Amino acid sequence: MSKTSKILDSFLVISYQRGNKKALEILVKRWNKRLCIQAYRYTKDWDLAKDVVQDTWHTVITKLFLLRDAASFGSWAMTITSRKALDLIRKNSKTRKIYESHVLVNNEVETSPIQTQEEQIGEILKMIPELPFDQQMVLKLFYLEEYSLKQISDITGVSINTVKTRLFRAREKLKSIIKNKEDEKRD
């Protein structure tokens, strides 16, 4: 998140807290897609993700007046989304089965000897579902969403050291997966 985005979010939160309803509309437009993507990462189902985000917005609207640090709106909303998605997964075993089948289906990776950087990144992204779920989330939040370790800690509800450990293990596991794929191609 850029500093400018955080400043704008802070301004919008403070404006809403002072009674400007239009500020909430702008926050929803700025954050709804990101929250849907976050929820989808957990649920692997767009309809469920949209339900989670709708529930998230209900919570955000009712508790936004209690948010003291307006600059933390993004990580706060992402945390609410993540926790609501996890609650839904815990309550709905069907969602868990959909997620597990999704991981099994998306494990295939094809690479050519000469790849552009974009193709290599695409191949690595296809390998992420092979990682344990907690490592997937940390990788995506750190590299794709560009959150800080502190923000990831807030979103996931674990300590910064746990985030660092998961990030390290995810990188190591990805290296191992890439090496195994390359070895398979040589054989």
Side-chain angles (χ1 to χ4, degrees):
M1 295 286 317
S2 71
K3 193 172 191 175
T4 308
S5 292
K6 281 190 169 192
I7 292 170
L8 178 57
D9 289 339
S10 298
F11 173 74
L12 292 170
V13 167
I14 292 168
S15 293
Y16 179 71
Q17 289 173 336
R18 291 186 178 170
N20 182 354
K21 302 220 183 285
K22 188 75 174 168
L24 179 64
E25 290 177 34
I26 297 169
L27 274 173
V28 170
K29 286 179 184 173
R30 287 178 48 79
W31 280 94
N32 198 61
K33 184 176 180 181
R34 285 184 251 183
L35 297 178
C36 282
I37 291 168
Q38 178 72 1
Y40 178 78
R41 287 182 180 143
Y42 285 95
T43 63
K44 301 297 182 204
D45 181 312
W46 282 111
D47 291 329
L48 290 174
K50 289 175 185 176
D51 290 344
V52 167
V53 173
Q54 184 175 4
D55 195 24
T56 298
W57 281 117
H58 179 266
T59 302
V60 165
I61 291 167
T62 57
K63 296 190 178 188
L64 193 56
F65 289 101
L66 302 174
L67 184 63
R68 292 182 186 202
D69 180 12
S72 68
F73 174 80
S75 61
W76 178 68
M78 292 291 264
T79 300
I80 293 169
T81 303
S82 298
R83 291 188 178 159
K84 290 196 176 290
L86 286 171
D87 288 344
L88 180 70
I89 289 171
R90 285 185 197 111
K91 291 177 186 174
N92 189 349
S93 63
K94 182 178 179 184
T95 305
R96 185 175 294 133
K97 290 176 187 174
I98 291 169
Y99 173 72
E100 291 170 356
S101 66
H102 177 76
V103 169
L104 293 173
V105 168
N106 290 324
N107 283 342
E108 297 177 19
V109 176
E110 298 176 10
T111 57
S112 61
I114 301 172
Q115 292 180 320
T116 66
Q117 185 176 5
E118 292 82 20
E119 290 172 332
Q120 290 173 342
I121 291 170
E123 297 303 321
I124 291 171
L125 290 175
K126 289 179 185 176
M127 294 177 196
I128 290 177
E130 295 182 38
L131 301 174
F133 185 70
D134 57 346
Q135 292 175 10
Q136 289 180 39
M137 290 309 301
V138 171
L139 267 180
K140 289 175 183 177
L141 290 171
F142 188 76
Y143 289 107
L144 301 178
E145 298 290 330
E146 299 179 354
Y147 281 102
S148 70
L149 294 174
K150 170 76 172 105
Q151 290 170 320
I152 296 170
S153 171
D154 293 341
I155 290 169
T156 57
V158 297
S159 71
I160 293 176
N161 285 335
T162 302
V163 171
K164 289 178 185 178
T165 301
R166 289 177 181 175
L167 197 54
F168 173 79
R169 289 181 179 159
R171 288 185 199 124
E172 293 300 310
K173 179 96 173 170
L174 270 179
K175 287 178 193 175
S176 173
I177 292 169
I178 292 168
K179 185 179 181 310
N180 289 340
K181 299 273 184 196
E182 289 173 356
D183 290 344
E184 287 175 10
K185 287 182 183 180
R186 289 186 195 138
D187 292 339

